[in-house]
Amino acid sequence: MMNGKTVIVTGANSGIGKATAAGIVKLQGRVIMACRDLRRAEEAVLDILQETGSDRSQLIVKQLDLASVTSVHTFCRDIIKEEPRLDVLINNAGIYQCPHTHTEDGFEMQFGVNHLGHFLLTHLLLDLLKQSTPSRIVVVSSKLYKHGHINFEDLNSEQSYDKAFAYSRSKLANLLFTRELARRLEGIGVAVNALTPGIVRTNLGRHVHVPVLAKPLFNLLSRGLFKSPEEGAQTSVYLACSPDVEGVQGKCFADCKPQVLLDKATDQEVASKLWDMSEIMVGITT
C-alpha cells in the first residue's frame, strides 16, 4: 500500500502514465499528475476517479512542459514550496518518432523531452527526494534503446536527423542517466531504477504513419499483440512501491523482472560524459 506517499508521474494524462497514476491511487497513494495539457489531465482525473472510486484529494494536476526549461523550473519551484515530501518520481512522459522539431530551448524534440527534460526535473527535485528517504526514482525507457547510439559530436541532431534513431538514442540516454544517477546516489536512500514496458497500445505512436487501407488490420493486430496501458504500467507501479526492490539500485526491469542490458547501456564512461554534457545543455552549474 502507498498510503501517505506522494508520487509524481510525468505524462499522466494518457497511456502508461495514466494507468500508472490509477495503479498508485488504487494503492492509496497520492499522485501529482505532471502534464503539459491541463484540459486532458483533468479529463484523465475524472476517468481515474470513476475507475478507482478514489477521493479527488488523491489526484493533483500540475502543468509541466518538458520541452521548456522554464516550465521545468517553475514546476519544481512550486513542488518544493508546496510539498513537504516526495516519495517517488516516475519519469514517464515521452514523445515518439516526431518530425524534426525543436524544444523551446533549441534541443531536438525527442532528446529534449525524453532525456533532457527529465534530467533537469530529477536534478531540481533531488534534494526533496533525499529529505524523504527512503524514496525512489523510476525511469521509463524502451527496448528500442538497442538501436540507439550516443554521438557526442551531434547530440542535437544538427548534422542529420532520423526520427526512429533519435527516439532510440533518447531511450538509451534514459538508461545511461539511470546508471550514472544510481552511482551518485549509492548509500543515500534514494533508489533509482529503469524499465522497458514493451509494446503498449497508447497514443505515443501518433506520429507514425499507417496507410488508411491498412489501419483496420493494424488496429486488429495491435489489440491482439500489444499490451494494454494497464499491463504496460505494471512494472512502473512495481518499481514505485514493491518491497521486492527495496535497496535495488541502477537496474532495468521488464515485466517486473530484472533485465540484462547491452554493454552500450551500461558503459560508465559514456554515462558520465553524457551526464556532464546534459548539465551544460540545461544550464546546471555544479
Side-chain angles (χ1 to χ4, degrees):
M1 299 299 286
M2 297 285 285
N3 195 18
K5 305 276 190 182
T6 295
V7 181
I8 290 176
V9 181
T10 67
N13 60 285
S14 65
I16 295 173
K18 180 180 174 183
T20 299
I24 298 293
V25 165
K26 286 176 182 175
L27 296 171
Q28 305 300 313
R30 176 173 171 266
V31 177
I32 298 173
M33 301 169 65
C35 305
R36 182 176 58 84
D37 188 328
L38 293 181
R39 181 186 61 80
R40 291 181 62 205
E42 290 293 349
E43 290 172 355
V45 167
L46 296 178
D47 289 344
I48 293 171
L49 292 178
Q50 185 175 28
E51 176 191 344
T52 63
S54 301
D55 189 275
R56 180 63 177 84
S57 63
Q58 284 180 258
L59 290 164
I60 294 88
V61 171
K62 300 282 288 183
Q63 186 163 37
L64 171 65
D65 183 355
L66 289 160
S68 166
V69 165
T70 298
S71 177
V72 176
H73 275 279
T74 300
F75 173 84
C76 293
R77 188 164 54 244
D78 289 348
I79 292 296
I80 291 166
K81 182 170 65 177
E82 297 167 4
E83 300 296 331
R85 63 179 297 111
L86 174 59
D87 298 280
V88 186
L89 170 62
I90 302 180
N91 290 331
N92 164 83
I95 189 165
Y96 177 71
Q97 293 197 18
C98 63
H100 192 196
T101 50
H102 293 89
T103 69
E104 180 181 289
D105 306 283
F107 307 131
E108 184 276 308
M109 186 62 73
Q110 294 187 83
F111 190 73
V113 170
N114 298 352
H115 170 60
L116 291 174
H118 283 121
F119 178 87
L120 178 60
L121 178 75
T122 305
H123 168 79
L124 295 174
L125 293 177
L126 207 48
D127 283 345
L128 185 57
L129 285 158
K130 289 177 180 177
Q131 293 165 21
S132 309
T133 55
S135 54
R136 301 183 184 189
I137 299 168
V138 179
V139 179
V140 180
S141 182
S142 165
K143 288 182 180 178
L144 291 174
Y145 85 87
K146 297 174 182 179
H147 304 293
H149 172 67
I150 303 297
N151 177 9
F152 288 109
E153 302 304 315
D154 193 27
L155 276 181
N156 208 36
S157 297
E158 292 167 354
Q159 297 171 21
S160 64
Y161 180 75
D162 177 278
K163 62 182 182 181
F165 168 79
Y167 179 76
S168 295
R169 179 185 58 183
S170 72
K171 295 289 103 178
L172 174 59
N174 289 158
L175 294 174
L176 291 165
F177 165 61
T178 299
R179 180 175 180 83
E180 177 63 11
L181 182 60
R183 185 186 70 81
R184 291 169 178 248
L185 293 176
E186 193 67 49
I188 290 177
V190 183
V192 54
N193 292 287
L195 68 106
T196 58
I199 304 176
V200 183
R201 293 192 306 273
T202 72
N203 65 355
L204 189 66
R206 61 189 177 275
H207 295 295
V208 178
H209 175 68
V210 178
V212 174
L213 293 176
K215 277 189 176 179
L217 178 60
F218 176 80
N219 291 336
L220 182 64
L221 287 173
S222 69
R223 293 207 166 273
L225 300 175
F226 296 179
K227 292 181 179 180
S228 68
E230 291 70 29
E231 290 169 330
Q234 284 179 351
T235 306
S236 294
V237 175
Y238 172 77
L239 290 177
C241 67
S242 175
D244 295 346
V245 289
E246 193 73 49
V248 176
Q249 188 76 308
K251 303 296 183 183
C252 183
F253 288 73
D255 297 320
C256 302
K257 298 184 180 72
Q259 302 296 296
V260 176
L261 297 173
L262 297 181
D263 290 345
K264 64 180 173 181
T266 60
D267 188 315
Q268 188 57 58
E269 184 178 344
V270 174
S272 297
K273 185 174 180 179
L274 178 62
W275 182 285
D276 292 341
M277 294 279 285
S278 300
E279 282 191 335
I280 293 169
M281 292 176 82
V282 298
I284 296 172
T285 54
T286 54

